[in-house]
């Protein structure tokens, strides 16, 4: 939605600028055409207002990698393994929009890496991604894929997820 609003506001601002330019581009003998000047200003202001509103739109888009795996043990045992692993690897539980997720890194020097999990009666559901932006404010999400951009952080998250899967399937005893 934000991208669409940015495009619309840019087009409207350009139209307003053309109208204003046309007003001031007239020869001095023709005088100032007041309706053209007013409409140019109004269109320009509307475009600026839309641009300001679009900057406050939430840039939150779920674009995450997901994985479902069967686990060995009870929910409590699996939860304890996951919580311990995430804590040992520097993940902190944070409020991310309307959900609680585990975050590693603040986004300035170290990429923000996220893991969210849910345990059902038979399987572990994982969502994991890296976030673009700084601090705890949600930004654009990037799934863990083989694309080059963010590959170092993506590889780290992939490693964390692989280790978590091994832990809950009792292939590791950490």
């Amino acid at each position: 939605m934000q991208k669409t609003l940015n495009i619309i506001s840019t087009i409207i601002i350009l139209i307003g600028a053309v109208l204003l330019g046309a007003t001031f581009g007239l020869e001095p003998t023709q005088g100032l055409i007041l309706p053209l000047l007013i409409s140019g200003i109004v269109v320009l202001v509307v475009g600026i207002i839309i641009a300001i509103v679009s900057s406050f739109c939430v840039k939150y888009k779920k674009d995450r990698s997901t994985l479902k795996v069967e686990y060995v043990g009870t929910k409590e045992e699996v939860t304890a393994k996951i919580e311990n692993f995430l804590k040992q690897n520097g993940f902190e539980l944070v409020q991310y929009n309307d959900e609680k997720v585990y975050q590693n890194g603040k986004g300035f020097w170290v990429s923000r890496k996220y893991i969210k999990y849910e345990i059902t009666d038979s399987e572990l559901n994982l969502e994991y991604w890296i976030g673009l932006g700084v601090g705890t404010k949600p930004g654009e999400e990037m799934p863990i894929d083989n694309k080059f951009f963010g590959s170092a952080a993506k590889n780290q998250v992939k490693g964390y997820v692989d280790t978590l899967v091994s832990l809950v399937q009792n292939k590791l005893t950490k």
Side-chain angles (χ1 to χ4, degrees), residues 2-18:
Q2 183 181 22
K3 193 173 187 180
T4 304
L5 285 175
N6 283 339
I7 292 169
I8 291 170
S9 67
T10 302
I11 291 169
I12 291 173
I13 289 171
L14 287 174
I15 292 170
V18 167

Side-chain angles (χ1 to χ4, degrees), residues 109-139:
W109 295 110
V110 179
S111 297
R112 296 184 304 166
K113 296 168 277 301
Y114 295 97
I115 296 177
K116 179 183 175 186
Y117 73 92
E118 177 187 10
I119 301 173
T120 66
D121 287 335
S122 61
E123 63 187 7
L124 168 66
N125 299 319
L126 290 169
E127 292 182 20
Y128 48 101
W129 67 98
I130 63 171
L132 300 180
V134 179
T136 57
K137 184 177 178 184

Side-chain angles (χ1 to χ4, degrees), residues 48-104:
I48 291 170
I49 290 171
I50 292 173
I52 291 169
V53 168
S54 75
S55 71
F56 290 107
C57 284
V58 177
K59 300 174 188 172
Y60 178 62
K61 175 186 170 212
K62 286 189 177 184
D63 196 6
R64 304 173 179 179
S65 296
T66 59
L67 181 64
K68 294 182 182 207
V69 294
E70 291 184 14
Y71 61 85
V72 176
T74 66
K75 283 185 182 182
E76 292 77 20
E77 291 170 338
V78 172
T79 300
K81 285 182 182 181
I82 293 170
E83 299 280 333
N84 186 40
F85 174 80
L86 292 172
K87 185 177 180 182
Q88 286 178 352
N89 286 283
F91 282 86
E92 297 176 2
L93 188 62
V94 297
Q95 186 70 34
Y96 185 89
N97 284 333
D98 58 348
E99 59 189 333
K100 295 268 188 185
V101 301
Y102 287 87
Q103 176 181 332
N104 178 302

